[in-house]
């Protein structure tokens, strides 16, 4: 009789095989790739699998506010841990929506809205790299599931050269892989699946407790965001 643990182990083994197969396919086409890196669980696991397979991996970190100490810890660790890794930092595309709408700042209607694709295109033009790797998974949301379902092996968009090696994984499986392989514990502002600095209460409470200097940098960039913790 197969136990739940054994079944989970079987699933993870098959999913890591799938992930490695996807990465190997790309490594046969190029020795340089872009990897969108947030310091979250998916990007930490992906970097561990991608770095050994390519001559150069260009990490793209998208910031809401630059030079936050608790984020720099992860960026420096990635650069030190993998000698073939380089780093490019870009303003997060979501900043264009924040600035245009005036969310916790003065609205600027002249701001041109961007998408993730626009940041990816910019980095590709700057580096000359053809393939970009992302940590998106079908389990993340219904939209992600629908998006990935139509791709080759549910992982490779052959029209855009965008690659999703973790498409079949769940959050719990990724976290288990990180734990079992002694990788850095990912940034986590709350118990939810999402990661990354956001103008939200959970993130602000975490920073207030652990990195108050980073919270002040966010206040400097978005003065009106002080109301998020108003009354605390």
């Amino acid at each position: 009789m197969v136990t739940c643990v054994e079944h989970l182990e079987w699933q993870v083994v098959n999913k890591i095989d799938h992930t490695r197969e996807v990465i190997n396919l790309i490594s046969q086409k190029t020795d340089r790739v872009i990897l969108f890196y947030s310091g979250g669980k998916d990007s930490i696991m992906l970097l561990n699998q991608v770095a050994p397979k390519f001559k150069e991996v260009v990490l793209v970190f998208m910031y809401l506010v630059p030079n936050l100490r608790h984020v720099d810890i992860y960026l420096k660790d990635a650069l030190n841990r993998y000698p073939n890794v380089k780093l490019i930092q870009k303003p997060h595309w979501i900043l264009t929506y924040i600035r245009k709408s005036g969310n916790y700042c003065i609205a600027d209607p002249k701001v041109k809205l961007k998408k993730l694709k626009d940041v990816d295109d910019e980095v590709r033009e700057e580096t000359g790299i053809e393939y970009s790797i992302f940590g998106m998974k079908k389990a993340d949301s219904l939209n992600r599931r629908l998006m990935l379902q139509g791709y080759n092996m549910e992982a490779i968009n052959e029209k855009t050269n965008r690659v999703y090696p973790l498409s079949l994984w769940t959050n719990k499986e990724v976290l288990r892989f990180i734990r079992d392989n002694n990788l850095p514990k990912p940034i986590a502002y709350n118990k939810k699946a999402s990661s990354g600095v956001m103008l939200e209460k959970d993130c602000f409470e975490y920073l207030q407790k652990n990195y108050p200097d980073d919270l002040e940098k966010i206040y400097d960039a978005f003065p009106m965001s002080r109301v998020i913790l108003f009354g605390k």
Side-chain angles (χ1 to χ4, degrees), residues 114-180:
K114 290 185 177 182
K115 296 287 190 180
L116 177 59
K117 174 185 179 299
D118 298 310
V119 180
D120 186 28
D121 289 343
E122 288 176 12
V123 177
R124 291 193 193 205
E125 184 175 356
E126 292 173 10
T127 62
I129 297 176
E130 297 181 27
Y131 286 86
S132 301
I133 298 177
F134 301 84
M136 299 172 185
K137 310 184 302 298
K138 290 168 62 177
D140 291 338
S141 67
L142 177 59
N143 286 339
R144 292 280 174 84
R145 176 176 291 275
L146 293 174
M147 180 190 78
L148 295 170
Q149 192 71 44
Y151 294 164
N152 180 32
M153 297 175 60
E154 299 179 336
I156 302 174
N157 186 328
E158 296 180 330
K159 293 182 179 180
T160 64
N161 290 342
R162 294 186 174 93
V163 188
Y164 308 90
L166 297 185
S167 61
L168 303 182
W169 290 69
T170 66
N171 292 325
K172 289 183 179 179
E173 290 166 347
V174 172
L175 288 170
R176 182 183 178 190
F177 181 93
I178 288 173
R179 182 196 67 206
D180 292 348

